[in-house]
Amino acid sequence: MHLAYPAVLAALLFCIGLYGVLARRNAILVLMSVELMLNAVNLNLVAFDVWLRDTLHSGQALTLFTIAIAAAEIGIGLAIVLAVYRNRGTSDIDRLRDTAETDDAETLPDTAGTDDADGAEPTPGRADEETGKTKKAEATT
């Protein structure tokens, strides 16, 4: 068997997985695409191990480690996706970008109904801590 056949198949699998990672919005489909890319790498490892006739079969041993790491990755990834889906109601990656906690809510000025004693405008970026925490709590709900 020529080395070109599994190498071309692995390249096609990797390209399909890369397209899935870049184009999909569903987090589970992105995880499946990453698994497809890892399987393309595994195919290359085994094909080159057979082609080089390695007596230690190091390509196959590395493939077993890659499979174990992929299983752990998919387990943890699915647990995270299910937890996010339970909290947010969606697994759409574009909608999950607002889950990151930022300090923007704490630094926003509270201009509604605040007057300083000297009549000056409030300084942008200087909201009191309680107002910032309230805005942050409202932003996360």
Side-chain angles (χ1 to χ4, degrees):
M1 181 172 81
H2 295 287
L3 183 62
Y5 298 135
V8 168
L9 180 62
L12 288 174
L13 284 175
F14 192 86
C15 288
I16 292 170
L18 185 64
Y19 173 75
V21 168
L22 295 176
R24 299 292 178 190
R25 295 180 191 267
N26 191 347
I28 294 175
L29 291 177
V30 169
L31 286 174
M32 289 175 60
S33 298
V34 169
E35 291 295 321
L36 195 62
M37 292 167 54
L38 286 173
N39 285 330
V41 170
N42 288 340
L43 181 61
N44 268 336
L45 285 170
V46 171
F48 277 98
D49 182 52
V50 169
W51 184 64
L52 293 174
R53 298 172 198 236
D54 187 16
T55 57
L56 295 177
H57 300 293
S58 56
Q60 294 177 17
L62 191 57
T63 298
L64 289 175
F65 285 117
T66 307
I67 290 171
I69 290 172
E73 175 256 335
I74 199 69
I76 292 172
L78 273 176
I80 291 171
V81 167
L82 288 175
V84 168
Y85 182 77
R86 201 176 291 161
N87 289 335
R88 291 284 184 174
T90 184
S91 62
D92 188 11
I93 293 175
D94 291 336
R95 292 186 182 170
L96 296 179
R97 290 188 183 155
D98 61 347
T99 60
E101 290 189 28
T102 59
D103 292 334
D104 294 339
E106 292 181 359
T107 59
L108 291 175
D110 185 25
T111 59
T114 58
D115 291 331
D116 287 344
D118 58 354
E121 291 292 322
T123 308
R126 293 230 176 210
D128 58 315
E129 291 181 16
E130 293 177 14
T131 307
K133 289 179 183 177
T134 305
K135 286 183 183 179
K136 191 172 188 179
E138 290 172 0
T140 57
T141 57

